[in-house]
Amino acid sequence: MPNWLPGIFALSLINVRRNFSKAIPRLFPPPREADDSVAVRYADYLAALFPDQRLDLAVAVGSPAMNFFRRYGRPFFPTTPMLAIVEESRVPPDLGAADTVVTTSIDLFGAVDTILRVLPETDNISVVIGSSPLEQYWLAKGRAAFEPFAGRVSFRWLNDLSFEEMLKHVAMLPPRSAILFNNLLRDAIGVGYSDHNVVTKIHDVATAPIFAFDDTDFGQGIVGGSWPSTQDLSRDYAGVALRILRGEALGGLKLTGLRTGPPKFDWREMQRWGISERHLPPGSVIYFRASTAWQEYNRQILAIGAAIIIQAALIAGLLHERQYRRRAERMARETMSELTQMNRLATAGELSASIAHEVNQPLTGMVLRADAALRWLAGDRPDIAKVRELVSDIVSAGHRASDIVVSIRAMFKREMDERRPVDINHLITTVLAIVLIDLRNNGIELRTQLDEHLPIVECDRVQVQQVVLNLVMNAIESMHSLRPRVLNIQSEPSKPDFVHVSIEDTGTGVDPSDVDRIFNLLFTTKTRGMGMGLSICRSIIESHGGRIWVSPGASRGSIFHFELPTKVGEG
């Protein structure tokens, strides 16, 4: 007897108030004995429990429950529809107008046939079944259904044993045995059982595989079989109940319930008992299979494999790109060095007058002092002290000329990118000394605000000199056609460990639409410009970890700013 046909007189009553979505289920399990006096007392109990209350539906599970309601429930609930779920052979011929029956079918023959199919050498089957009246009914049906196997298999019915004796029996079964679990509501000594732990306890000690008539205990130690799905059966019965509650006229009808589904088996039990997959019935479904790593994680394995391949391709591509980038960087450095040198030479050409003036001044002084010394020596009484003083002045002027030449040569030679501590204020002063003649010739007023406490900056002196020189020359050119002409240069500390330099002019200014591209290579607003100067300035400043930008002047013109970190690697 399967567990979804529970016991004698099992009766479920559903009271629906207002709508069936608020159904209140109640289950009343009467005594298991078919004793008329007990049944009468239970009927009186139900009458007292539901005084003057209308029931929308009564559900009887099993033929005893159906007979109980028809005999004792109808006087109290004459118009209440009843849905009965009974075994097909026990449907009464005289269904009432309010009675609807859904039939179930239990394939007793098929259960044994499944055992012999998957375990062909089986010659002994122990049938676990209790001694209650309902189980005695199924015992009689089982004996009749198993008759065709009598010559091949011997059956041992365990209804005459207590549950403890059953456990001892299944623990000592000989080889080529099997266990067929029917039901255990009450054992031979009258102890009742209603939970599913019965199968689990048998499985813990059994020396033979366990089969069953339904899937209620599937996954708890049952090998498998061909049964209707309990879940599908429950859904089927609930669907019929809802149809009745919605008002569909199903009274007096016998409906066929769900039939046997595809056979299903527990892979774990198959492995335990050595059952080959080739012996399973056609169309069988295997559950709880211990999948291989590939079966269980094939998508993840494919994804990981694809990721590894992609990563390998990316690494190869990155290595190739790295080599290409290094070659490109080397070529870019060489090209930038060439452009920088060209820019310096062009700047030297523009500054030729200032350079000549700076060198000519000490040379002129040297010539004049040399002439004076000769005159003092040509006298009747040479003034040796005066001559010594003039010669000393000549030596000082020579050193000054040498320093000017060395400074200019250093500024315009091809640099080696040597970074050393540099005083930015002194660097700015050196550049201004070179462009002093250009400032005077163009009538430009020079204003400087150099912070005396400016920190020392680690940089390439020649490169930063070139930046200042380019910005100053651009400022001079931008003020060529305007007045007043003022060049304002400031230096100051900026945020932690940075130095800020600004070069402001009162020239034509930078068009707002050109601000974002004025530092781009080959971009120029000059008629004869090459578009390299500001691009080189940005390259130098950024290579030092700084930044360069432009903003509008206070009244007109532009302010070019740059910031440099005080230490190499900052910024």
Side-chain angles (χ1 to χ4, degrees):
M1 176 67 183
N3 288 345
W4 40 266
L5 292 178
I8 300 175
F9 301 125
L11 178 65
S12 176
L13 302 174
I14 298 179
N15 176 26
V16 181
R17 296 178 179 176
R18 297 185 182 176
N19 58 70
F20 61 85
S21 65
K22 298 180 180 179
I24 304 173
R26 292 188 177 93
L27 178 65
F28 305 103
R32 301 182 184 278
E33 298 293 347
D35 189 326
D36 282 346
S37 63
V38 174
V40 170
R41 291 198 301 272
Y42 187 64
D44 291 339
Y45 164 72
L46 290 182
L49 190 63
F50 297 98
D52 302 324
Q53 189 170 7
R54 184 182 68 83
L55 297 179
D56 298 286
L57 178 64
V59 179
V61 182
S63 57
M66 175 187 67
N67 294 333
F68 173 84
F69 185 78
R70 295 182 69 193
R71 180 175 179 183
Y72 298 104
R74 280 292 175 221
F76 302 107
F77 313 110
T79 61
T80 299
M82 178 188 67
L83 172 61
I85 302 169
V86 298
E87 203 267 328
E88 191 167 8
S89 63
R90 308 193 73 176
V91 177
D94 56 338
L95 283 178
D99 299 338
T100 303
V101 173
V102 178
T103 63
T104 62
S105 178
I106 301 174
D107 188 5
L108 299 175
F109 178 90
V112 177
D113 184 65
T114 297
I115 295 175
L116 298 179
R117 179 186 291 270
V118 300
L119 294 170
E121 297 181 357
T122 301
D123 57 15
N124 173 60
I125 297 178
S126 295
V127 184
V128 178
I129 191 169
S131 62
S132 68
L134 181 62
E135 289 165 315
Q136 291 302 314
Y137 165 79
W138 286 106
L139 187 146
K141 291 204 66 171
R143 289 183 185 276
F146 299 163
E147 189 62 32
F149 303 102
R152 180 178 174 183
V153 181
S154 62
F155 293 93
R156 171 67 171 96
W157 300 84
L158 307 185
N159 58 300
D160 59 345
L161 301 179
S162 67
F163 184 52
E164 293 300 325
E165 291 172 332
M166 291 183 190
L167 294 178
K168 292 179 182 179
H169 173 82
V170 299
M172 296 185 294
L173 289 174
R176 295 185 295 181
S177 296
I179 301 169
L180 180 57
F181 182 79
N182 183 294
N183 207 357
L184 183 60
L185 299 176
R186 190 185 67 186
D187 64 11
I189 61 175
V191 179
Y193 299 90
S194 60
D195 55 42
H196 297 301
N197 288 334
V198 171
V199 172
T200 302
K201 292 176 181 178
I202 293 175
H203 177 265
D204 290 342
V205 299
T207 57
I210 307 172
F211 295 81
F213 292 106
D214 63 60
D215 68 347
T216 304
D217 294 299
F218 186 67
Q220 305 299 318
I222 302 298
V223 174
S226 301
W227 328 292
S229 166
T230 301
Q231 191 174 30
D232 291 340
L233 283 171
S234 301
R235 189 182 300 109
D236 193 19
Y237 300 151
V240 176
L242 288 173
R243 290 168 62 188
I244 296 173
L245 290 171
R246 291 190 182 107
E248 190 172 344
L250 300 179
L253 296 180
K254 182 179 76 170
L255 306 177
T256 302
L258 192 68
R259 297 297 175 178
T260 300
K264 56 185 180 181
F265 293 86
D266 189 325
W267 174 261
R268 299 166 300 183
E269 297 303 313
M270 291 173 59
Q271 296 300 298
R272 178 183 178 184
W273 302 110
I275 298 174
S276 173
E277 192 170 345
R278 71 174 186 273
H279 289 150
L280 301 184
S284 296
V285 180
I286 299 177
Y287 292 81
F288 313 111
R289 185 191 292 270
S291 303
T292 62
W294 171 253
Q295 292 171 328
E296 188 73 21
Y297 304 106
N298 55 54
R299 292 185 179 179
Q300 292 86 338
I301 292 173
L302 288 174
I304 293 172
I308 292 174
I309 293 173
I310 292 173
Q311 282 186 334
L314 286 174
I315 291 171
L318 289 173
L319 290 175
H320 176 75
E321 180 67 21
R322 183 185 180 189
Q323 293 179 349
Y324 176 80
R325 180 168 56 82
R326 284 185 172 180
R327 287 196 300 269
E329 288 176 351
R330 185 172 61 253
M331 293 176 62
R333 285 194 298 269
E334 292 174 356
T335 302
M336 183 59 67
S337 178
E338 294 293 335
L339 291 174
T340 302
Q341 184 64 15
M342 290 173 60
N343 179 258
R344 287 177 186 162
L345 293 175
T347 305
E350 295 177 6
L351 293 173
S352 57
S354 293
I355 294 172
H357 175 78
E358 287 296 316
V359 175
N360 191 50
Q361 272 189 327
L363 291 178
T364 301
M366 291 169 66
V367 171
L368 292 175
R369 287 173 175 76
D371 288 341
L374 289 174
R375 288 195 300 270
W376 284 107
L377 289 173
D380 294 334
R381 300 173 61 181
D383 190 341
I384 301 302
K386 192 66 175 178
V387 171
R388 184 181 290 109
E389 181 182 351
L390 290 171
V391 172
S392 297
D393 290 342
I394 292 171
V395 172
S396 298
H399 285 310
R400 182 185 171 199
S402 176
D403 290 343
I404 292 173
V405 172
V406 170
S407 176
I408 294 172
R409 182 182 177 187
M411 184 177 297
F412 295 105
K413 74 176 181 178
R414 297 178 71 92
E415 78 287 349
M416 300 302 291
D417 192 14
E418 296 182 357
R419 299 188 182 187
R420 297 177 180 177
V422 173
D423 181 347
I424 292 296
N425 288 340
H426 183 263
L427 183 147
I428 294 172
T429 303
T430 302
V431 173
L432 291 178
I434 295 175
V435 299
L436 187 60
I437 296 299
D438 288 88
L439 294 175
R440 290 174 181 173
N441 291 341
N442 286 279
I444 297 174
E445 178 186 351
L446 176 63
R447 299 174 183 174
T448 58
Q449 298 177 22
L450 307 181
D451 193 311
E452 296 179 356
H453 304 290
L454 201 67
I456 298 298
V457 175
E458 287 189 15
C459 65
D460 186 300
R461 178 186 183 86
V462 174
Q463 290 184 348
V464 178
Q465 273 183 328
Q466 183 179 354
V467 171
V468 176
L469 180 60
N470 280 354
L471 296 179
V472 169
M473 294 301 295
N474 284 348
I476 292 172
E477 186 173 350
S478 71
M479 294 185 286
H480 182 71
S481 59
L482 297 174
R483 290 185 183 278
R485 300 171 186 172
V486 179
L487 179 64
N488 185 20
I489 300 179
Q490 297 183 12
S491 67
E492 60 184 350
S494 171
K495 57 187 177 182
D497 301 321
F498 272 81
V499 167
H500 173 258
V501 176
S502 64
I503 300 173
E504 180 179 6
D505 61 65
T506 57
T508 55
V510 177
D511 192 307
S513 62
D514 295 333
V515 169
D516 293 333
R517 52 181 181 155
I518 194 170
F519 294 100
N520 291 347
L521 185 63
L522 303 181
F523 176 81
T524 181
T525 58
K526 301 177 183 178
T527 305
R528 292 177 296 173
M530 298 177 62
M532 293 190 304
L534 291 178
S535 175
I536 291 172
C537 289
R538 182 176 68 175
S539 176
I540 292 172
I541 294 300
E542 290 182 350
S543 71
H544 283 75
R547 67 187 186 102
I548 185 170
W549 71 99
V550 63
S551 64
S555 57
R556 69 169 190 261
S558 304
I559 308 175
F560 282 84
H561 311 259
F562 68 83
E563 285 183 342
L564 289 173
T566 57
K567 294 182 180 179
V568 176
E570 295 187 11

